[in-house]
Amino acid sequence: MTDDRVAVVAQTLTPPSSRAVQAGLKAHPRIANVIAVGSGKGGVGKSTTTVNLALALHRLGLRVGVLDADVYGPSVPLMLGLSGRPESTEDKKIIPMRALGVDTMSIGYLIEEDSPMIWRGPMATQALTQFFNDTLWDDLDVLLIDLPPGTGDIQLTLAQKIPVAGAVVVTTPQEVATLDARKALAMFEKVNIPVLGLVENMAVHVCSACGHAEHIFGQGGGQAMAARYNVPLLGSLPLDAAIREQADAGTPIVSAQPDGVISQAYVALARALVERLATRPRAQIALNTLGS
């Protein structure tokens, strides 16, 4: 390990048990915990973070899936090197596409790569609920839902119709990004989805030639926001060309360079997320079973 600040051994974790979801909703029978990954604005690396986080969770021994809920700009298929249409069963259930040990579903598998999604809000939200309910997820410990930027129709549908154990908000350190991330955080709180923590992406760039560390997008924005809203900062991730290059190549950094410092930062983030999830109340289904 070359950097004690992020070095972490990828030891397996005990799979997290089901945690409480919004009142009036029932947990998915094959998914222990749904975690929404959101941001207030685009361009903060939310999808890249989601995919690498999923691979880091899988590396820790969990069964993981990713639902790409950004129907207008799906990027999960590209990042995982997947193409083609998913198969379906006789009763019209969708078999998820699988890569690097992770189950996935995305509108990107059902449309041509360059085709725009000219859909009104109700069509987009219907696609989200259909993908969640009609995909044959493989008894997952965690399903990450990669949300589109903002606080619109899809986020509202998520709160009303999909049982979510918690949310993660991705931001960059700069003030304009944290300003929008605060809106996402406030939105989750208003719809009674607990925010498990923040992820500060592109926190620092280390020059590959000289080793000089530079905070290109500012410093301390994520930590200040976490303190202001009393939520944990789950991790700070670097700004590095390799992260983008590996995502574009369909082999995310956690898979391509599993022993590297950057991958270890994602593994540390995954571990912090699971530990935070474990502090949440258990699902009522489990409690009722114990009491029966």
Side-chain angles (χ1 to χ4, degrees):
M1 305 284 181
T2 60
D3 192 336
D4 291 338
R5 294 171 301 173
V6 296
V8 58
V9 178
Q11 297 173 335
T12 58
L13 291 177
T14 301
S17 58
S18 296
R19 300 291 149 169
V21 300
Q22 308 95 302
L25 295 181
K26 294 182 179 179
H28 192 288
R30 292 186 300 276
I31 303 171
N33 296 285
V34 176
I35 298 177
V37 183
S39 66
K41 67 186 295 293
V44 299
K46 174 183 51 59
S47 295
T48 303
T49 299
T50 301
V51 168
N52 279 292
L53 176 58
L55 294 175
L57 288 166
H58 174 67
R59 188 177 173 190
L60 289 171
L62 304 188
R63 296 166 297 181
V64 187
V66 175
L67 173 54
D68 187 353
D70 191 351
V71 297
Y72 299 109
S75 55
V76 169
L78 172 66
M79 291 183 182
L80 287 173
L82 290 168
S83 61
R85 297 177 66 90
E87 297 180 358
S88 58
T89 64
E90 292 183 358
D91 57 351
K92 298 184 179 179
K93 295 293 184 180
I94 305 168
I95 300 174
M97 302 286 278
R98 190 171 178 83
L100 304 174
V102 174
D103 282 3
T104 71
M105 187 56 209
S106 171
I107 192 68
Y109 300 134
L110 304 177
I111 62 172
E112 296 296 328
E113 185 174 335
D114 297 328
S115 298
M117 294 302 297
I118 309 174
W119 281 3
R120 295 188 183 275
M123 295 178 67
T125 57
Q126 182 180 354
L128 170 63
T129 55
Q130 182 176 355
F131 288 162
F132 178 75
N133 292 316
D134 292 347
T135 299
L136 290 175
W137 303 107
D138 188 21
D139 292 328
L140 303 177
D141 297 310
V142 174
L143 175 69
L144 300 178
I145 299 186
D146 181 28
L147 294 172
T151 56
D153 288 342
I154 288 195
Q155 287 81 357
L156 183 59
T157 296
L158 177 93
Q160 293 175 336
K161 298 185 178 182
I162 293 180
V164 181
V168 172
V169 176
V170 180
T171 186
T172 55
Q174 66 198 98
E175 179 64 23
V176 66
T178 58
L179 177 64
D180 287 326
R182 292 172 207 162
K183 297 175 183 177
L185 191 150
M187 181 269 297
F188 284 124
E189 290 182 340
K190 286 184 178 180
V191 296
N192 297 315
I193 293 177
V195 176
L196 300 173
L198 303 177
V199 176
E200 186 180 52
N201 197 29
M202 308 182 198
V204 62
H205 175 259
V206 178
C207 177
S208 59
C210 68
H212 173 69
E214 185 174 5
H215 298 274
I216 295 175
F217 292 110
Q219 185 175 2
Q223 187 64 61
M225 181 179 166
R228 177 175 178 178
Y229 290 94
N230 194 31
V231 295
L233 180 63
L234 298 174
S236 293
L237 301 170
L239 173 63
D240 194 291
I243 298 175
R244 189 268 306 165
E245 291 167 355
Q246 295 300 152
D248 287 349
T251 53
I253 194 81
V254 170
S255 174
Q257 300 177 17
D259 297 323
V261 171
I262 298 174
S263 293
Q264 296 301 330
Y266 281 106
V267 172
L269 168 62
R271 186 178 296 276
L273 174 61
V274 173
E275 290 174 352
R276 174 64 173 168
L277 181 64
T279 67
R280 298 293 307 160
R282 291 178 181 268
Q284 289 296 316
I285 293 176
L287 293 176
N288 291 339
T289 300
L290 291 173
S292 60

